[in-house]
Amino acid sequence: AFAHCYDLASVTLPESIREIGTQAFFNCPSLPTFTVPGGVTELPYGVFLSCRSMESVVIPASVTSIGAEAFYDCGELDDVYFGGTEAQWNAIDLTGEWHPRVRIHFTDGAGTQQPQQSGAVCLPVSGAGRPRLGRGGSLFRRARGPLGL
């Protein structure tokens, strides 16, 4: 959907979005932060692959699965703000690895967690009849500036 939007610096998705497609934000090197809508349950393969300026991401407690390479080649990613507890985070099906410096922040006051793995991660989604942000492609190819949907 937003793949290769080189100058995309901001995007706000409505809470009605229930799915984010594979590589939806692939190679958006100017996107510094992202908030996953509250109804999303899975973050698919390569969803933020090569978002090199991404420093932080907000993931709601509704997310139960994060696919491989979701955040691969996101060299500036330092902070993941999870909208649930540490126990909920630990129950997420993680396919892949996080860079050792990434800090996971929880809402239960448990502080932060340094992931045990080394490497990186990605976002998966499925289901018929639900609002969906499409797979990588050219719907918003090379969009510039802030974008709200």
Side-chain angles (χ1 to χ4, degrees):
F2 294 91
H4 306 290
C5 292
Y6 304 113
D7 297 321
L8 183 66
S10 172
V11 63
T12 303
L13 299 179
E15 289 297 310
S16 61
I17 294 288
R18 297 293 179 249
E19 296 184 6
I20 298 176
T22 299
Q23 296 185 345
F25 294 93
F26 169 62
N27 199 22
C28 292
S30 300
L31 188 63
T33 63
F34 188 82
T35 298
V36 177
V40 172
T41 59
E42 299 178 73
L43 300 177
Y45 169 81
V47 71
F48 295 108
L49 180 64
S50 295
C51 290
R52 293 183 180 106
S53 296
M54 184 165 290
E55 298 171 356
S56 66
V57 63
V58 177
I59 299 175
S62 60
V63 170
T64 59
S65 177
I66 299 177
E69 297 182 3
F71 297 96
Y72 185 79
D73 198 21
C74 294
E76 299 299 316
L77 184 63
D78 288 323
D79 297 291
V80 173
Y81 297 93
F82 182 62
T85 65
E86 184 172 5
Q88 288 172 303
W89 175 261
N90 291 332
I92 291 176
D93 179 17
L94 293 173
T95 304
E97 301 175 332
W98 293 94
H99 191 283
R101 79 159 184 261
V102 174
R103 292 176 302 272
I104 312 298
H105 304 269
F106 310 103
T107 59
D108 64 357
T112 61
Q113 170 181 313
Q114 295 293 130
Q116 300 301 310
Q117 313 98 309
S118 61
V121 181
C122 261
L123 305 175
V125 196
S126 63
R130 296 188 289 176
R132 180 175 197 282
L133 185 63
R135 292 192 167 136
S138 60
L139 181 60
F140 296 99
R141 190 177 186 122
R142 300 174 204 253
R144 298 186 187 286
L147 183 62
L149 297 178

